[in-house]
Amino acid sequence: MTGRTGATIDAPRPDASGSTSGNRPLGTFRTPVRGHAFAGVPEEAGTVEPGRPASLVREPGNPADPLAVAVWVDAADGRPWRIGYLDRLVAGRLAPRLDAGTSIQAEIDGWTDGVVALTVAIKRAAPDTLLILYSSGLGPTADLRFGRLDTHRLVAAGAVDVWIEQTWGGAWQDWWDAGWAGWTFQLAYLLQRGAIIADADRERATPCRRWKLVQALDGWEPYDTFHDYPGKLRWGIWAFSHAATLTVAGPRVPHGAYVAVLNDRTRTVMAEDDVRWLATELDAAERSAAALETVAG
């Protein structure tokens, strides 16, 4: 489950010929806003509050997608900021209408209420289910600021059993060249989320477990952090394992790890020696973290 901004959009429904002209009724739908990493929203833009009007702007020269539709809002100081993009499939449907001059209204929406209700409903219907949520990779501050996803409220509701922080340091930094989501940034996000979850746990009967992600290969993308950057991977295993939250009961480190993934895009699984190395490093790092008594610095 990712925490991203949502937009509620009113768009004229086409008639049988595909035309959207005339006074036909509006179709209203809700869609995620993606690509925050590529939008470059500065800190001074402020928090994107639900209900804020948004503008949909075509980017026919976008090298990634000629049908791209950017989402813009006015910041607190009145300056316009691009906060992200419509999903590719949604943009493909709306781009021709925008190019034809059709007026389409949009406003920003949030996720927290809906996600809380969903998790609670799942737990009520299937109380033995292990309910796991998976972060956006942007960290809890960005989740709240742009996605209006409140980690504290979501965890405090009591239905989520495990939170996985998307610590894909190698994918972001060494393949996508997105330094803002690289190894040390992911460590910061893991620490921030840990503090929020520890605070929210005070409102729960049982604590929410926090897992780090250990990136080895990928079943879709061509990067291979395990073989190309083993030193960075080892650093990530040890740093993420020791990402401690200071509580009254002492340091609280991640409860476990989610390894992603053990096969590459050709469906070739990791060699036995590679799996053994990964298990040895994880076991050693987690034993060390479990013995942590104090945090200095």
Side-chain angles (χ1 to χ4, degrees), residues 67-83:
L67 295 178
V69 177
V71 181
W72 290 71
V73 298
D74 288 337
D77 61 4
R79 285 185 292 173
W81 296 108
R82 183 179 59 187
I83 64 168

Side-chain angles (χ1 to χ4, degrees), residues 279-295:
T280 299
E281 291 293 338
L282 263 174
D283 287 346
E286 292 187 346
R287 281 196 303 269
S288 173
L292 194 64
E293 295 181 355
T294 186
V295 177

Side-chain angles (χ1 to χ4, degrees), residues 129-265:
T129 297
L130 181 67
L131 187 55
I132 301 174
L133 294 192
Y134 184 74
S135 82
S136 67
L138 298 177
T141 301
D143 283 348
L144 180 62
R145 182 179 169 212
F146 300 121
R148 306 308 299 156
L149 185 71
D150 187 331
T151 300
H152 188 281
R153 280 188 54 202
L154 190 53
V155 173
V160 180
D161 297 305
V162 178
W163 189 290
I164 299 175
E165 195 68 23
Q166 190 189 154
T167 47
W168 290 84
W172 294 114
Q173 181 171 319
D174 302 314
W175 175 257
W176 292 111
D177 196 26
W180 56 267
W183 295 97
T184 54
F185 280 88
Q186 292 299 338
L187 176 58
Y189 301 157
L190 187 62
L191 288 165
Q192 290 171 3
R193 192 89 62 183
I196 295 170
I197 291 175
D199 188 59
D201 276 346
R202 297 189 298 174
E203 303 176 35
R204 295 169 53 108
T206 57
C208 174
R209 283 164 280 175
R210 176 177 55 124
W211 291 355
K212 59 189 174 293
L213 184 145
V214 176
Q215 174 203 354
L217 305 174
D218 193 271
W220 298 97
E221 303 292 346
Y223 52 79
D224 182 348
T225 299
F226 187 91
H227 295 102
D228 294 340
Y229 305 98
K232 291 183 179 181
L233 179 59
R234 185 176 186 274
W235 180 91
I237 290 172
W238 282 80
F240 299 158
S241 295
H242 289 79
T245 301
L246 298 182
T247 70
V248 174
R252 177 177 171 180
V253 297
H255 301 84
Y258 171 72
V259 180
V261 288
L262 297 181
N263 65 276
D264 62 20
R265 64 192 308 191

Side-chain angles (χ1 to χ4, degrees), residues 17-136:
S17 68
S19 172
T20 57
S21 60
N23 297 316
R24 298 185 58 77
L26 296 177
T28 302
F29 62 93
R30 193 169 182 273
T31 183
V33 176
R34 307 190 185 280
H36 301 303
F38 304 102
V41 185
E43 196 67 32
E44 60 267 26
T47 299
V48 182
E49 298 287 352
R52 183 183 296 192
S55 300
L56 304 182
V57 179
R58 284 278 290 114
E59 291 188 1
N62 189 308
D65 181 8
L67 295 178
V69 177
V71 181
W72 290 71
V73 298
D74 288 337
D77 61 4
R79 285 185 292 173
W81 296 108
R82 183 179 59 187
I83 64 168
Y85 293 86
L86 294 184
D87 179 83
R88 183 183 295 265
L89 291 177
V90 175
R93 297 287 184 91
L94 294 185
R97 305 184 191 187
L98 290 168
D99 292 343
T102 301
S103 176
I104 299 178
Q105 305 299 317
E107 70 176 33
I108 300 303
D109 202 348
W111 291 104
T112 300
D113 291 342
V115 177
V116 167
L118 176 62
T119 59
V120 170
I122 291 173
K123 269 298 185 181
R124 285 177 178 170
D128 294 332
T129 297
L130 181 67
L131 187 55
I132 301 174
L133 294 192
Y134 184 74
S135 82
S136 67

